[in-house]
């Protein structure tokens, strides 16, 4: 049995592409104020999520992930209110930033997780203040690190990205597949045709 330690509907959708049966359990951890190198923050939180769920379900393999948006040394988490969402979107507008997603897989009855992370460089388009306000009015930014989703068809905030697309959505699938294989899960039935079209040209596929 595989458990996804996440409340994110986007991670559920991505993991479902693999065709591996899984359940979902919210980790319920205190993420606190994130500071430090984005890679270390993401890895620490992914491991904490995996361990929190594994403590309740030790017979299952647990997969957890954490996504960090970083711009000029600052980590942009999920906005707490409309003012913070607007400030984040204006800060990122027309500029480049980094998105790091760490994936942790904890095999059954194991204390040491398998961990890896992916990094994507994202450049935002110059959306208008009116577009920002419309996005906030729809409630789109509030459950997303950096206050945006790359796949958002209405704001369409991203001009270009360099790296893994699914990493920015919240779960780099090629990274997850490799960790699941190392954890002993059967992934031999998973092929590129099952994955989002962006996975076919993902640089992580060749690693």
């Amino acid at each position: 049995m595989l458990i996804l330690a996440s409340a994110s509907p986007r991670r559920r959708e991505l993991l479902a592409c693999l065709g591996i049966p899984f359940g979902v359990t919210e980790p319920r951890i205190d993420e606190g104020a994130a500071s430090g190198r984005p890679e270390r923050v993401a890895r620490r939180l992914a491991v904490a999520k995996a361990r929190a769920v594994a403590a309740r379900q030790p017979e299952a393999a647990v997969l957890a992930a954490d996504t960090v948006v970083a711009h000029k040394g600052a980590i942009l988490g999920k906005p707490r209110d409309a003012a913070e969402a607007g400030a984040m979107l204006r800060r990122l507008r027309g500029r480049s930033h980094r998105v790091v997603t760490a994936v942790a897989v904890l095999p059954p009855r194991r204390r040491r997780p398998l961990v890896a992370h992916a990094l994507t460089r994202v450049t935002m388009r110059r959306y208008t203040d009116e577009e920002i306000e419309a996005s906030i009015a729809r409630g789109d930014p509030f459950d997303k690190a950096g206050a945006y989703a790359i796949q958002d068809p209405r704001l369409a905030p991203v001009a270009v990205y360099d790296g893994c697309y699914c990493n920015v959505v919240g779960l780099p699938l090629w990274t997850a597949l490799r960790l699941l294989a190392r954890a002993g899960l059967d992934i031999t039935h998973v092929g590129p045709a099952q994955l989002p079209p962006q996975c076919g040209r993902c640089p992580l596929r060749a690693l």
Side-chain angles (χ1 to χ4, degrees):
M1 182 64 181
L2 175 65
I3 300 295
L4 173 62
S6 177
S8 166
R10 295 167 294 281
R11 291 197 180 111
R12 289 199 298 268
E13 291 168 6
L14 285 171
L15 189 58
C17 293
L18 304 184
I20 300 172
F22 68 93
V24 176
T25 300
E26 188 173 351
R28 300 180 200 157
I29 68 165
D30 180 11
E31 299 188 18
S35 61
R37 291 180 59 84
E39 297 85 350
R40 291 181 180 176
V41 170
R43 290 171 75 102
R44 173 178 61 79
L45 291 174
V47 168
K49 292 175 183 179
R51 284 179 169 154
V53 170
R56 288 179 271 161
Q57 298 174 278
E59 301 302 313
V62 177
L63 183 148
D66 189 80
T67 301
V68 169
V69 172
H71 178 252
K72 292 188 175 180
I75 291 177
L76 308 183
K78 298 174 184 177
R80 293 167 291 185
D81 52 34
E84 191 169 42
M88 287 183 185
L89 288 170
R90 284 189 291 273
R91 174 178 183 147
L92 296 176
R93 176 170 51 191
R95 298 184 176 95
S96 296
H97 61 278
R98 292 182 297 158
V99 178
V100 177
T101 297
V103 182
V105 174
L106 197 54
R109 299 175 297 279
R110 286 265 300 275
R111 294 185 179 180
R112 182 166 301 215
L114 306 168
V115 190
H117 69 268
L119 186 151
T120 304
R121 185 174 180 84
V122 177
T123 302
M124 305 291 260
R125 70 177 182 87
R126 292 189 174 276
Y127 39 74
T128 65
D129 286 343
E130 290 76 15
E131 288 177 296
I132 291 174
E133 294 306 317
S135 177
I136 292 170
R138 291 190 297 267
D140 293 339
F142 297 111
D143 64 339
K144 302 170 183 73
Y148 77 93
I150 190 173
Q151 71 275 20
D152 181 350
R154 291 175 290 193
L155 181 59
V158 175
V160 65
Y161 67 92
D162 181 17
C164 174
Y165 173 87
C166 293
N167 173 49
V168 187
V169 179
L171 183 64
L173 287 178
W174 293 114
T175 300
L177 275 169
R178 290 183 179 90
L179 292 180
L180 290 171
R182 288 174 57 193
L185 275 76
D186 181 12
I187 63 163
T188 56
H189 64 286
V190 181
Q194 298 170 236
L195 307 183
Q198 294 88 350
C199 292
R201 56 183 181 272
C202 178
L204 299 182
R205 179 181 180 181
L207 296 180

